[in-house]
Amino acid sequence: MSELIEIKAETTGFGAEIGGVDLGSEISDEAFAAIRAAIVKHKVLVFREQHLDDDKHLAFAQRFGPLEGHINRSSRHSDLPKIQIFGNVDGDGNIIGYHPEKGTLVWHTDKSYVATPSLFTILRSPAVARQGGDTLFADMVRAYEDLDAAEQTRLDGLRAVHDWKRSREKSDERAATADEIAAAPPVDHPLIRTHPETKARAIYMGNHASHILDWDQGDGEALLAALERHATQEKYVYRHQWRDNDVLMWDNRCTIHCVTGYDAAKERRVVHRAVVQGDVPV
Ligand code: SIN
């Protein structure tokens, strides 16, 4: 008998909680198709009370398509390179005292600095901060739709340059290595992209976007900053407050996200992440 998944959507339509499914078990094709449809419709999904290990996490993620490793090799799982770990706890269980990846504290969409940025990201959190450490998402479709027609026309056709090296500088992270820069030279993507499945238009930017192609650097930075301020107003934001055993999933084609601050000297916060490869934004 196949599972009957339950979908409890946020009143805004942005984000939904999914019940009635155990992600660590064999999920029927029917239930999987319902989850696949739900992520496209609601953009962010929360699954409560899931008891996954890394193998089960990978097995679930792989059903959505091939997975990609992260350019930052230092955070890759030592045995499972398609799992990336961001945590403030070392191998001996000691708190290291700082948030390990400052780039996640600023708004971004995953891997927009490559030609084929991430499709879905699936995250679980073996250690949840009790205060702060929430994951926030902004709905870039609604943010685009609320722009007036003249502004939409001005933005359509622009391309933003996304650059791993510059993104590291902006988030005050360790400098990109020569290998990373060679693997991820700057790329440009449409500033307004069309979701290949829903055909909805979405603002596509975030911290990896450094400037607007063929524009003066300062003018491009100012436009990107203004768009981020617009898109991250509370009315477009879904806040995920982590509970033990949550799994969180999002569609990178139409959302940006960031982590809120927490006391990294006291609180343990660890996430394990699997990312499904996407295609070229159009
Ligand atoms: C990420 O930006 O991919 C990580 C989000 C989180 O740690 O909640």
Side-chain angles (χ1 to χ4, degrees):
M1 197 177 75
S2 66
E3 309 91 322
L4 276 181
I5 78 161
E6 298 145 18
I7 303 176
K8 201 166 85 193
E10 291 290 309
T11 48
T12 55
F14 181 43
E17 194 173 311
I18 304 293
V21 64
D22 171 5
L23 301 183
S25 68
E26 280 290 316
I27 301 171
S28 68
D29 290 345
E30 189 188 347
F32 179 75
I35 294 170
R36 182 74 178 65
I39 184 64
V40 170
K41 178 167 181 191
H42 298 288
K43 307 183 185 94
V44 180
L45 299 182
V46 180
F47 304 83
R48 305 280 189 196
E49 277 312 312
Q50 301 294 329
H51 297 271
L52 301 184
D53 57 17
D54 288 321
D55 289 318
K56 288 181 172 164
H57 185 173
L58 278 179
F60 173 62
Q62 268 158 357
R63 283 196 69 175
F64 294 93
L67 305 183
E68 58 191 20
H70 199 271
I71 189 158
N72 180 357
R73 289 173 176 267
S74 61
S75 55
R76 287 189 187 174
H77 188 296
S78 50
D79 301 324
L80 302 168
K82 298 290 166 59
I83 293 277
Q84 195 188 13
I85 302 176
F86 296 140
N88 68 340
V89 178
D90 69 17
D92 298 322
N94 300 314
I95 293 188
I96 57 175
Y98 57 89
H99 181 73
E101 180 63 56
K102 289 190 200 133
T104 64
L105 296 169
V106 290
W107 291 100
H108 65 284
T109 173
D110 287 333
K111 293 192 72 175
S112 63
Y113 50 81
V114 298
T116 52
S118 312
L119 178 62
F120 303 130
T121 302
I122 299 162
L123 205 68
R124 67 190 186 92
S125 183
V128 171
R130 296 295 146 195
Q131 274 201 326
D134 301 341
T135 309
L136 306 184
F137 294 91
D139 183 339
M140 302 305 268
V141 172
R142 274 194 51 219
Y144 175 73
E145 287 172 350
D146 283 356
L147 294 172
D148 65 41
E151 182 64 354
Q152 289 180 346
T153 305
R154 182 171 87 101
L155 301 180
D156 286 346
L158 295 180
R159 297 185 70 82
V161 177
H162 297 242
D163 183 354
W164 167 255
K165 175 173 176 288
R166 180 72 191 124
S167 171
R168 308 284 294 178
E169 291 164 0
K170 284 195 293 176
S171 61
D172 198 23
E173 253 302 341
R174 67 141 176 87
T177 64
D179 283 352
E180 288 171 356
I181 295 168
V187 288
D188 55 273
H189 296 302
L191 180 60
I192 307 301
R193 72 179 286 186
T194 303
H195 193 289
E197 299 180 63
T198 63
K199 306 299 174 208
R201 309 271 285 151
I203 306 170
Y204 191 64
M205 44 149 303
N207 191 57
H208 302 315
S210 63
H211 62 283
I212 302 294
L213 189 67
D214 297 333
W215 274 33
D216 168 80
Q217 176 83 23
D219 291 347
E221 286 173 358
L223 174 63
L224 291 169
L227 285 174
E228 182 176 303
R229 275 194 305 276
H230 163 70
T232 57
Q233 295 175 79
E234 212 175 310
K235 60 185 172 179
Y236 304 126
V237 169
Y238 166 75
R239 173 183 292 266
H240 180 68
Q241 289 176 299
W242 286 89
R243 295 187 205 158
D244 291 335
N245 305 314
D246 281 351
V247 170
L248 186 62
M249 172 172 187
W250 61 89
D251 186 340
N252 284 292
R253 299 169 292 185
C254 49
T255 59
I256 54 175
H257 61 278
C258 67
V259 183
T260 65
Y262 61 99
D263 187 346
K266 293 208 180 100
E267 294 259 26
R268 289 164 191 274
R269 188 181 192 279
V270 179
V271 295
H272 288 212
R273 189 172 107 141
V275 181
V276 183
Q277 277 173 19
D279 43 26
V280 176
V282 288

